[in-house]
Amino acid sequence: MSKSTSSSNKRGDLQNLAALEQKVLWLASWMIHNANHLRENEDGLKVGGHQASSASLATIMTALYFDVLRPQDRVAVKPHASPIFHAIQYLLGNQSRERLEAFRGYKGAQSYPSRTKDVDDVDFSTGSVGLGVAQTLFSSLTQDYVRSHGWGLVRPEGRMVALVGDAELDEGNIFESLLEGWKQGLRNCWWIIDYNRQSLDAVVREGLWERYEQLFKNFGWDVAIVKYGSLQQAAFKEPGGETLRRWIDNCPNQLYSALVFAGGAAWRKRLNDEIGDQGDVSRLIERRSDDELAALMNNLGGHDLPSVLNAFHNADPEKPTCFICYTVKGFGLPFAGHKDNHAGLMTPQQMETFRQAMGVRPGHEWDKFEGLHPAAEQLQSFLKRVPIAAGNPRRLAAPSVGVPDNLSVTIQPVMSTQTGFGAILNEIGRGDSEFSRRIVTTSPDVTVSTNLGPWVNRRGLFARKAMADTFKREQIPSTFNWEFSPKGQHIELGIAEMNLFVLLSALGLSHTINGERLLPIGTLYDPFIARGLDALNYACYQDARFIVVATPSGITLAGEGGAHQSIAEPLIGLAQDGLASFEPAYVDELAAIMRWAFTYIQKDGDATPSERNWLRDETGGSIYLRLSTRPIEQIKRQMTPELQQQIVDGAYWHRKPGPNCQVVVAYTGAVAPEAIEAVGLMAEDRRDVGLLAVTSADRLNAGWTAAQRARERGLVHARSHIERLLADVPTHCGIVSVLDGHPATLAWLGAVAGHRVRPLGVEHFGQTGSLADLYRHYGIDTNAIVAAAQAIAPGRPIRHLKALP
Ligand SMILES: Cc1ncc(C[n+]2csc(CCOP(=O)(O)OP(=O)(O)O)c2C)c(N)n1
Ligand SMILES: [Mg+2]
C-alpha cells in the first residue's frame, strides 16, 4: 500500500515512536500541570494550560519530529501545541528542564511557540491563529524565489509544514493565501489539519471536512484524509465491520466527542442501542472489553502512528498537500472529547492517576525515559538517529549585502516623496550590483499607483515559469513592460493586504530560513496598513526584516476620497514594536532614510541602546515609510553627514529658534509648506520663531523614553536627540505641532522639556475636497497654525491671522 521507504516501517522503530509519543504526552501534561502562571477560575481551579488542545497533536508531532521531518523542513506549530513542541525539543536535547519548569513564566518556555523568545529552534512563531499557516505557504514561495535566482542551490529543498487547528481555518487570511498559492504554483507545502472537531467554545459543524476537501482540491492541492486508525481498519475487515464503519461515518461530531469522553461502557450502550442485534456487528462489539472497545473507537487516524506515517511518506513534493487528520481533543487524557476542555486542566487527582498509568515514579517526572518499555539506551540512540537531529540548530545566517554610501536621485524643483521613492528605486534598478539584485519588491495590486512601475520595468516580474507580455508581443505600446520570469524581482500580489505582510514576513526571514539574504520592499496605500495590521505585527514579532512603503497617506490624498484617508497610522508607526517609522517631507530626506534603512534591516547586533541617541540601532528591525503624493517645493541644500544623521535620528532644526523664541512650529511630512509659510507670516509679530522638522516621531519618542529610563538607573548624563534639540528653547516658549495624521503623534513633545503644546492634526475623516479645502476643514493649514501660535504664545495680535472658519 505504501511507496514509503521510511525507517518507521520497521517494527522496532514503531515501538520507539509509540514510547516517545507516550512520553511527549506525559511531559507536555506535566509541564502544564506544573506551570505556576495559570489563571484560576471562580472555583479556584487553574485553567488556561491547554492540555487538551496540545494532546490532539501528540501522535502527529511524534511522527513528524521523530521520523518524517528533515533538517531543511520548517514548521509552524499551532499555538496550543506549544507544550508538545517543547517536550519534543527536550527529548531531542534542544530544550532545558529549567525552561520547561518555567513554562509560561518569565524566560521560560513560551505559551505559544516563539522564534524570538524561545530557544529551542522554533521555525515560525504562532499565536494569532491563521497567520502561522499562511506563513508556511509564503515561505515555500520565498524558497522558490531564492532558488529561481540561483541562490542556495547547495542546500536541499525544504518542506514548509503547518499544524493547523480545525477552527483555525475560520480565519480568512488562510483563504486569501490559498488563492495566492494557486496563482504562484505552490509546492513543498503541507497543511496538517488537527481535525478534532472542537474549537475554543464549540464543536464544529457537521461535514466540514467535505467543504475543506473540495476547497483544497479546487486550489490544486492534494488532499489526504486520515480518518481511521489501523485498529479500526482491521475491525472494518471483520464480519459486521462495514456496519460499524457506516455508524462511525454517520455519527455527529458532538456525539462522538461526548462518547469519547464517557468511555467504553457508554460506547457499548450506544452502539448496542443503535446497531445492536445485527448478528455480526454485535459479536464484533461483544468480543471486546470496555477498554478495548474504547481503544477501538478512539483509534482515529490522527492518533495512529502507522496511518499518519503512511500519509506523510506518500505525499508528492511537487503538489501542496492538505492532510485532514481525525483526532480527539485531549486524546489520552481524562477529559478527552469533552467540549469544555479547551482551557481545562487535569485536577491533581486526575494527574496522579495519569502518572501511575504512565509508570512514572514520583520525583522522576522529568526523566526522559521513565516508565517506557524500550530500554533508555535504545531510545537515546534512536533519538540520535532521527533525521531532523542531523541538522541542529537549523537557524541559518547570511552575510550582509553592502549598501552604497549614497542613493542617487535627481531631485526636481517640485516633487512628492512618492515620486522620489519611485525615482530612487529606478536609479537602484539601473545597476547590477549585489545590492540591486537582492532587492525584492511586492505590492498588493498597487504596484503602479505606489510608483514601483519604473523599477518593475527594469527588473521584471517574478514567476517560476516565464510568461511573455502579450501587449509587448502584439506590439501594442504600453508604459509598462510586464514580463514574468524566474529572474524577475517583483512579486505581484492580489489585493489582500494580509498576504502582503505575511509575504514580507517570509521574504524578511529568508536569511535565517534559506541562508540567503533578501532586501524586501512592500508598497501599499497607507490606510490599508490597518487591513493587514495583525499580519504586520506578526511579521515584526518574528523579527522578519523588510521595508514597507505606505502611500498615499492622510487627508493629503484629497480628491481620492474620504474613505482612504489615514489618521491612526502615524500612531501605529509610533507604537509598533520592531518597526522604525519615518515620514519625511523632502526627497533628499527620503534618500538618506532609505540608505540607512537598507543597512538597518540587516543588523543583528547588541540590544543595548547607543549612548548617542538611546536607540537600539545595532539590533536592527523593519522600516515603515509613510509617504505622500503631494508635490512640494524641494529645498536646495547640501546633504551633510550631520544633517543625514539628524534626519535618521528623527528631527532637525529647519530654522533654529533664537534665544528669545516665543513659539516653535514642529511639523511632520506633507504639511511642510504650511509650517514654513506660517513661520514666515508670524515673523513680524513673534520673536525668533523656530521650525522643527520631525522626520520620525517614532524614533524621537523611543530615544526620549530610553534616555529617561537610563537616567532613572543612574546614568545621569543620558540625553536623547529630542532633549538635545529642545535644550535651548526657553521654557516659556510654546510649541505648535502639526501633521497630516492624529495630533497625539507629536503632542508628547511638550513633556520633553516642559513646553506647552498645541497639537494640530486630523481626528475625523471622510470629507472629500481639494487639498486646500481639507487642510482648512481639518485645521492643519497655514492659518490654523498661526491661530494656534497666537493662542499658545500670547503677545500682540499676529497681523496675518484670518478668522478661523
Ligand atoms: C486571531 C485569534 N483569535 C482568537 C484566538 C483565541 N483562540 C485561541 S485557540 C482558539 C480556538 C482554537 O480551535 P482549534 O483551531 O480547533 O484548535 P484546538 O484547540 O481544537 O486544537 C481561539 C479562538 C487566537 N489565538 N487568535
Ligand atoms: Mg479544534
Side-chain angles (χ1 to χ4, degrees):
M1 163 171 110
S2 162
K3 295 182 282 186
S4 161
T5 51
S6 151
S7 58
S8 58
N9 280 352
K10 284 189 257 145
R11 192 148 179 75
D13 284 353
L14 259 181
Q15 264 175 4
N16 292 335
L17 287 172
L20 292 171
E21 178 192 3
Q22 172 182 335
K23 184 49 65 183
V24 162
L25 184 61
W26 161 259
L27 285 170
S29 308
W30 180 246
M31 189 189 312
I32 300 167
H33 179 75
N34 261 284
N36 292 322
H37 315 277
L38 302 174
R39 275 181 292 125
E40 286 189 2
N41 68 12
E42 320 65 85
D43 303 321
L45 288 173
K46 283 183 177 175
V47 293
H50 308 107
Q51 271 172 331
S53 185
S54 268
S56 60
L57 274 174
T59 322
I60 291 167
M61 288 176 68
T62 299
L64 283 176
Y65 280 91
F66 298 135
D67 186 280
V68 178
L69 294 177
R70 304 151 309 166
Q72 64 269 30
D73 299 331
R74 298 287 185 277
V75 191
V77 175
K78 80 168 186 183
H80 290 146
S82 168
I84 297 281
F85 173 79
H86 294 309
I88 287 171
Q89 295 299 341
Y90 175 63
L91 291 173
L92 287 171
N94 301 327
Q95 177 61 286
S96 72
R97 173 175 163 179
E98 290 69 35
R99 284 181 194 271
L100 295 191
E101 285 182 314
F103 174 59
R104 290 175 145 246
Y106 185 62
K107 306 242 160 158
Q110 296 290 300
S111 340
Y112 306 141
S114 170
R115 261 191 79 80
T116 47
K117 301 289 184 273
D118 274 316
V119 296
D120 49 355
D121 226 8
V122 172
D123 298 322
F124 302 119
S125 301
T126 56
S128 179
V129 296
L131 296 175
V133 184
Q135 174 85 27
T136 58
L137 184 151
F138 286 109
S139 290
S140 181
L141 298 182
T142 298
Q143 175 175 258
D144 281 344
Y145 179 92
V146 165
R147 298 175 75 87
S148 295
H149 285 77
W151 299 317
L153 296 174
V154 289
R155 294 190 192 91
E157 240 176 17
R159 254 177 324 228
M160 306 296 161
V161 181
L163 294 161
V164 190
D166 45 2
E168 192 165 4
L169 282 165
D170 289 333
E171 290 288 359
N173 84 278
I174 292 183
F175 300 98
E176 296 174 10
S177 74
L178 265 182
L179 203 55
E180 212 54 63
W182 173 76
K183 289 187 220 162
Q184 313 272 357
L186 177 69
R187 1 171 351 251
N188 279 316
C189 185
W190 286 6
W191 287 358
I192 302 169
I193 301 177
D194 178 6
Y195 195 52
N196 60 24
R197 289 148 293 149
Q198 282 185 259
S199 63
L200 199 159
D201 291 336
V203 176
V204 305
R205 290 282 184 284
E206 296 308 322
L208 195 57
W209 68 272
E210 287 166 298
R211 317 298 126 206
Y212 292 158
E213 187 186 18
Q214 285 310 320
L215 205 131
F216 279 97
K217 284 190 169 158
N218 277 341
F219 286 110
W221 289 54
D222 279 344
V223 178
I225 297 174
V226 187
K227 178 163 184 182
Y228 315 108
S230 43
L231 287 181
Q232 290 187 347
Q233 289 174 31
F236 298 155
K237 294 197 183 114
E238 293 177 30
E242 264 312 306
T243 314
L244 180 69
R245 182 214 288 263
R246 268 199 306 280
W247 185 88
I248 292 177
D249 286 351
N250 292 327
C251 180
N253 291 336
Q254 286 245 20
L255 178 62
Y256 210 95
S257 292
L259 289 170
V260 166
F261 176 74
W267 278 117
R268 184 180 307 283
K269 177 160 187 335
R270 193 77 191 200
L271 289 169
N272 282 334
D273 287 352
E274 297 200 357
I275 52 172
D277 299 330
Q278 292 188 25
D280 284 343
V281 72
S282 301
R283 279 189 288 280
L284 189 158
I285 297 166
E286 279 320 305
R287 271 198 296 281
R288 288 162 167 88
S289 68
D290 281 358
D291 284 351
E292 285 167 344
L293 188 60
L296 172 66
M297 299 307 287
N298 293 356
N299 178 238
L300 297 177
H303 294 300
D304 188 66
L305 283 167
S307 302
V308 291
L309 288 167
N310 183 48
F312 294 153
H313 284 296
N314 281 297
D316 175 357
E318 285 307 313
K319 295 271 281 292
T321 306
C322 167
F323 301 87
I324 303 179
C325 296
Y326 277 68
T327 56
V328 174
K329 194 155 167 172
F331 183 77
L333 306 178
F335 44 42
H338 197 293
K339 71 182 172 64
D340 300 346
N341 67 12
H342 182 80
L345 205 59
M346 284 190 264
T347 63
Q349 269 157 329
Q350 287 174 325
M351 203 58 209
E352 179 57 15
T353 315
F354 187 49
R355 184 185 63 71
Q356 285 169 14
M358 295 283 115
V360 173
R361 290 165 295 163
H364 292 265
E365 291 85 354
W366 294 110
D367 294 4
K368 287 188 179 172
F369 307 113
E370 174 79 1
L372 301 182
H373 285 310
E377 302 75 56
Q378 179 184 324
L379 288 168
Q380 190 62 68
S381 88
F382 176 75
L383 285 173
K384 284 215 181 82
R385 278 185 283 123
V386 304
I388 203 168
N392 272 332
R394 296 172 309 126
R395 293 258 168 123
L396 305 175
S400 292
V401 174
V403 179
D405 290 341
N406 283 298
L407 299 182
S408 68
V409 56
T410 309
I411 298 178
Q412 311 294 337
V414 176
M415 202 174 187
S416 73
T417 46
Q418 194 207 68
T419 312
F421 166 69
I424 290 168
L425 267 192
N426 187 30
E427 283 302 316
I428 296 173
R430 283 179 200 278
D432 195 28
S433 59
E434 182 69 355
F435 169 64
S436 59
R437 278 196 299 269
R438 294 277 169 168
I439 291 176
V440 49
T441 55
T442 179
S443 183
D445 208 25
V446 290
T447 302
V448 175
S449 47
T450 56
N451 243 330
L452 275 176
W455 159 264
V456 178
N457 272 347
R458 291 193 188 283
R459 313 301 292 201
L461 288 140
F462 170 73
R464 263 200 312 125
K465 297 199 176 84
M467 269 183 288
D469 182 339
T470 311
F471 278 72
K472 190 174 164 195
R473 208 173 45 204
E474 299 295 323
Q475 297 180 337
I476 302 172
S478 160
T479 328
F480 299 106
N481 166 14
W482 294 96
E483 250 164 11
F484 287 87
S485 85
K487 296 280 175 264
Q489 282 180 252
H490 178 73
I491 303 178
E492 180 66 358
L493 287 173
I495 310 171
E497 286 77 13
M498 275 279 174
N499 282 341
L500 170 74
F501 288 115
V502 186
L503 175 58
L504 287 175
S505 175
L507 295 169
L509 286 175
S510 177
H511 51 288
T512 141
I513 302 284
N514 302 307
E516 294 293 336
R517 175 87 55 186
L518 296 176
L519 305 173
I521 301 177
T523 65
L524 82 168
Y525 294 177
D526 196 49
F528 304 130
I529 284 188
R531 182 68 164 257
L533 188 53
D534 198 29
L536 170 61
N537 181 52
Y538 172 71
C540 292
Y541 176 59
Q542 13 191 24
D543 202 21
R545 300 304 183 81
F546 52 87
I547 299 174
V548 58
V549 180
T551 169
S553 59
I555 59 169
T556 304
L557 54 69
E560 275 211 48
H564 285 6
Q565 295 165 349
S566 60
I567 293 180
E569 275 65 12
L571 293 174
I572 292 171
L574 192 78
Q576 179 62 52
D577 191 15
L579 193 68
S581 308
F582 294 88
E583 186 167 355
Y586 298 102
V587 175
D588 61 353
E589 295 171 0
L590 175 66
I593 292 165
M594 282 179 68
R595 198 213 74 82
W596 178 83
F598 281 117
T599 317
Y600 182 73
I601 61 170
Q602 300 187 68
K603 295 241 160 151
D604 193 14
D606 196 354
T608 35
S610 128
E611 297 214 356
R612 190 180 56 77
N613 57 11
W614 292 90
L615 293 168
R616 297 179 303 176
D617 284 351
E618 290 311 307
T619 43
S622 285
I623 299 283
Y624 161 30
L625 304 177
R626 189 174 191 249
L627 304 186
S628 175
T629 39
R630 181 184 188 191
I632 64 172
E633 199 181 317
Q634 301 291 304
I635 312 169
K636 283 205 185 68
R637 60 183 165 187
Q638 189 65 36
M639 182 54 72
T640 61
E642 295 72 34
L643 180 56
Q644 224 158 24
Q645 185 64 66
Q646 296 207 31
I647 287 167
V648 166
D649 285 349
Y652 63 91
W653 283 114
H654 197 139
R655 182 175 195 268
K656 212 167 159 38
N660 300 314
C661 172
Q662 293 171 292
V663 62
V664 161
V665 176
Y667 74 90
T668 281
V671 294
E674 281 67 26
I676 294 169
E677 193 183 13
V679 167
L681 290 182
M682 50 181 125
E684 292 170 56
D685 301 307
R686 291 292 179 281
R687 270 173 300 176
D688 290 352
V689 181
L691 183 62
L692 185 68
V694 178
T695 46
S696 173
D698 176 29
R699 284 172 54 83
L700 279 189
N701 183 271
W704 174 53
T705 308
Q708 290 176 94
R709 202 173 295 137
R711 288 200 292 275
E712 285 150 19
R713 291 189 184 135
L715 293 167
V716 289
H717 299 298
R719 284 291 172 282
S720 62
H721 183 51
I722 188 65
E723 286 169 317
R724 265 187 253 111
L725 285 172
L726 295 181
D728 297 332
V729 178
T731 343
H732 66 263
C733 180
I735 300 178
V736 177
S737 66
V738 58
L739 79 157
D740 179 1
H742 197 276
T745 313
L746 294 174
W748 57 273
L749 281 175
V752 174
H755 297 105
R756 277 163 301 134
V757 172
R758 167 68 172 103
L760 300 178
V762 184
E763 293 159 280
H764 308 286
F765 76 110
Q767 183 65 53
T768 37
S770 69
L771 192 121
D773 291 337
L774 294 184
Y775 276 22
R776 188 176 58 248
H777 177 83
Y778 291 109
I780 57 170
D781 64 349
T782 307
N783 199 45
I785 298 171
V786 175
Q790 162 123 327
I792 203 167
R796 69 165 182 249
I798 301 179
R799 64 197 74 176
H800 294 287
L801 176 61
K802 296 187 222 94
L804 288 181

